[in-house]
PDB file of all heavy atoms in Angstrom:
ATOM      1  N   GLY N 109       4.515  22.700   1.574  1.00  0.00           N
ATOM      2  CA  GLY N 109       5.919  22.583   1.965  1.00  0.00           C
ATOM      3  C   GLY N 109       6.065  21.758   3.223  1.00  0.00           C
ATOM      4  O   GLY N 109       5.671  20.611   3.266  1.00  0.00           O
ATOM      5  N   ALA N 110       6.606  22.363   4.258  1.00  0.00           N
ATOM      6  CA  ALA N 110       6.852  21.664   5.515  1.00  0.00           C
ATOM      7  C   ALA N 110       5.746  21.909   6.529  1.00  0.00           C
ATOM      8  O   ALA N 110       5.920  21.701   7.712  1.00  0.00           O
ATOM      9  CB  ALA N 110       8.189  22.098   6.085  1.00  0.00           C
ATOM     10  N   LEU N 111       4.599  22.318   6.062  1.00  0.00           N
ATOM     11  CA  LEU N 111       3.470  22.608   6.943  1.00  0.00           C
ATOM     12  C   LEU N 111       2.298  21.715   6.573  1.00  0.00           C
ATOM     13  O   LEU N 111       1.935  21.608   5.404  1.00  0.00           O
ATOM     14  CB  LEU N 111       3.061  24.082   6.796  1.00  0.00           C
ATOM     15  CG  LEU N 111       1.891  24.555   7.648  1.00  0.00           C
ATOM     16  CD1 LEU N 111       2.288  24.571   9.119  1.00  0.00           C
ATOM     17  CD2 LEU N 111       1.472  25.944   7.205  1.00  0.00           C
ATOM     18  N   LEU N 112       1.740  21.052   7.567  1.00  0.00           N
ATOM     19  CA  LEU N 112       0.545  20.244   7.367  1.00  0.00           C
ATOM     20  C   LEU N 112      -0.595  20.906   8.117  1.00  0.00           C
ATOM     21  O   LEU N 112      -0.421  21.372   9.243  1.00  0.00           O
ATOM     22  CB  LEU N 112       0.740  18.827   7.915  1.00  0.00           C
ATOM     23  CG  LEU N 112       1.880  18.003   7.342  1.00  0.00           C
ATOM     24  CD1 LEU N 112       1.962  16.643   8.037  1.00  0.00           C
ATOM     25  CD2 LEU N 112       1.730  17.824   5.850  1.00  0.00           C
ATOM     26  N   PHE N 113      -1.762  20.935   7.509  1.00  0.00           N
ATOM     27  CA  PHE N 113      -2.947  21.480   8.161  1.00  0.00           C
ATOM     28  C   PHE N 113      -4.029  20.418   8.172  1.00  0.00           C
ATOM     29  O   PHE N 113      -4.406  19.881   7.129  1.00  0.00           O
ATOM     30  CB  PHE N 113      -3.467  22.722   7.433  1.00  0.00           C
ATOM     31  CG  PHE N 113      -4.770  23.226   7.973  1.00  0.00           C
ATOM     32  CD1 PHE N 113      -4.855  23.720   9.263  1.00  0.00           C
ATOM     33  CD2 PHE N 113      -5.913  23.185   7.195  1.00  0.00           C
ATOM     34  CE1 PHE N 113      -6.068  24.166   9.772  1.00  0.00           C
ATOM     35  CE2 PHE N 113      -7.128  23.639   7.694  1.00  0.00           C
ATOM     36  CZ  PHE N 113      -7.208  24.130   8.988  1.00  0.00           C
ATOM     37  N   ASP N 114      -4.510  20.085   9.342  1.00  0.00           N
ATOM     38  CA  ASP N 114      -5.580  19.113   9.495  1.00  0.00           C
ATOM     39  C   ASP N 114      -6.885  19.875   9.640  1.00  0.00           C
ATOM     40  O   ASP N 114      -7.198  20.402  10.709  1.00  0.00           O
ATOM     41  CB  ASP N 114      -5.317  18.250  10.728  1.00  0.00           C
ATOM     42  CG  ASP N 114      -6.344  17.155  10.913  1.00  0.00           C
ATOM     43  OD1 ASP N 114      -7.357  17.143  10.184  1.00  0.00           O
ATOM     44  OD2 ASP N 114      -6.137  16.305  11.799  1.00  0.00           O
ATOM     45  N   SER N 115      -7.646  19.949   8.556  1.00  0.00           N
ATOM     46  CA  SER N 115      -8.874  20.743   8.573  1.00  0.00           C
ATOM     47  C   SER N 115      -9.950  20.115   9.457  1.00  0.00           C
ATOM     48  O   SER N 115     -10.833  20.823   9.947  1.00  0.00           O
ATOM     49  CB  SER N 115      -9.402  20.948   7.148  1.00  0.00           C
ATOM     50  OG  SER N 115      -9.722  19.708   6.549  1.00  0.00           O
ATOM     51  N   ALA N 116      -9.896  18.822   9.696  1.00  0.00           N
ATOM     52  CA  ALA N 116     -10.896  18.172  10.541  1.00  0.00           C
ATOM     53  C   ALA N 116     -10.700  18.533  12.005  1.00  0.00           C
ATOM     54  O   ALA N 116     -11.656  18.690  12.750  1.00  0.00           O
ATOM     55  CB  ALA N 116     -10.842  16.659  10.367  1.00  0.00           C
ATOM     56  N   ARG N 117      -9.445  18.669  12.413  1.00  0.00           N
ATOM     57  CA  ARG N 117      -9.149  18.948  13.816  1.00  0.00           C
ATOM     58  C   ARG N 117      -8.652  20.377  14.040  1.00  0.00           C
ATOM     59  O   ARG N 117      -8.456  20.807  15.159  1.00  0.00           O
ATOM     60  CB  ARG N 117      -8.121  17.951  14.323  1.00  0.00           C
ATOM     61  CG  ARG N 117      -8.669  16.531  14.360  1.00  0.00           C
ATOM     62  CD  ARG N 117      -7.567  15.514  14.651  1.00  0.00           C
ATOM     63  NE  ARG N 117      -8.036  14.161  14.498  1.00  0.00           N
ATOM     64  CZ  ARG N 117      -8.126  13.506  13.351  1.00  0.00           C
ATOM     65  NH1 ARG N 117      -7.788  14.088  12.231  1.00  0.00           N
ATOM     66  NH2 ARG N 117      -8.567  12.270  13.299  1.00  0.00           N
ATOM     67  N   GLY N 118      -8.395  21.075  12.963  1.00  0.00           N
ATOM     68  CA  GLY N 118      -7.976  22.463  13.070  1.00  0.00           C
ATOM     69  C   GLY N 118      -6.557  22.677  13.547  1.00  0.00           C
ATOM     70  O   GLY N 118      -6.239  23.718  14.085  1.00  0.00           O
ATOM     71  N   GLY N 119      -5.683  21.710  13.339  1.00  0.00           N
ATOM     72  CA  GLY N 119      -4.306  21.847  13.808  1.00  0.00           C
ATOM     73  C   GLY N 119      -3.302  21.995  12.688  1.00  0.00           C
ATOM     74  O   GLY N 119      -3.466  21.444  11.599  1.00  0.00           O
ATOM     75  N   TYR N 120      -2.257  22.776  12.969  1.00  0.00           N
ATOM     76  CA  TYR N 120      -1.121  22.924  12.060  1.00  0.00           C
ATOM     77  C   TYR N 120       0.054  22.137  12.612  1.00  0.00           C
ATOM     78  O   TYR N 120       0.281  22.119  13.817  1.00  0.00           O
ATOM     79  CB  TYR N 120      -0.701  24.395  11.952  1.00  0.00           C
ATOM     80  CG  TYR N 120      -1.618  25.233  11.116  1.00  0.00           C
ATOM     81  CD1 TYR N 120      -2.657  25.941  11.706  1.00  0.00           C
ATOM     82  CD2 TYR N 120      -1.439  25.342   9.748  1.00  0.00           C
ATOM     83  CE1 TYR N 120      -3.505  26.728  10.944  1.00  0.00           C
ATOM     84  CE2 TYR N 120      -2.286  26.121   8.980  1.00  0.00           C
ATOM     85  CZ  TYR N 120      -3.309  26.816   9.582  1.00  0.00           C
ATOM     86  OH  TYR N 120      -4.145  27.579   8.832  1.00  0.00           O
ATOM     87  N   PHE N 121       0.814  21.522  11.727  1.00  0.00           N
ATOM     88  CA  PHE N 121       1.980  20.760  12.124  1.00  0.00           C
ATOM     89  C   PHE N 121       3.136  21.148  11.208  1.00  0.00           C
ATOM     90  O   PHE N 121       2.992  21.097   9.993  1.00  0.00           O
ATOM     91  CB  PHE N 121       1.713  19.254  12.002  1.00  0.00           C
ATOM     92  CG  PHE N 121       0.560  18.805  12.845  1.00  0.00           C
ATOM     93  CD1 PHE N 121      -0.735  18.841  12.347  1.00  0.00           C
ATOM     94  CD2 PHE N 121       0.762  18.378  14.141  1.00  0.00           C
ATOM     95  CE1 PHE N 121      -1.812  18.462  13.124  1.00  0.00           C
ATOM     96  CE2 PHE N 121      -0.305  17.987  14.933  1.00  0.00           C
ATOM     97  CZ  PHE N 121      -1.601  18.034  14.421  1.00  0.00           C
ATOM     98  N   THR N 122       4.244  21.552  11.790  1.00  0.00           N
ATOM     99  CA  THR N 122       5.412  21.897  10.985  1.00  0.00           C
ATOM    100  C   THR N 122       6.391  20.731  10.991  1.00  0.00           C
ATOM    101  O   THR N 122       6.504  20.007  11.978  1.00  0.00           O
ATOM    102  CB  THR N 122       6.111  23.160  11.512  1.00  0.00           C
ATOM    103  OG1 THR N 122       6.487  22.951  12.877  1.00  0.00           O
ATOM    104  CG2 THR N 122       5.211  24.374  11.413  1.00  0.00           C
TER     105      THR N 122
END
Side-chain angles (χ1 to χ4, degrees):
L111 180 69
L112 301 178
F113 173 65
D114 183 352
S115 62
R117 294 171 188 82
Y120 285 93
F121 301 88
T122 58

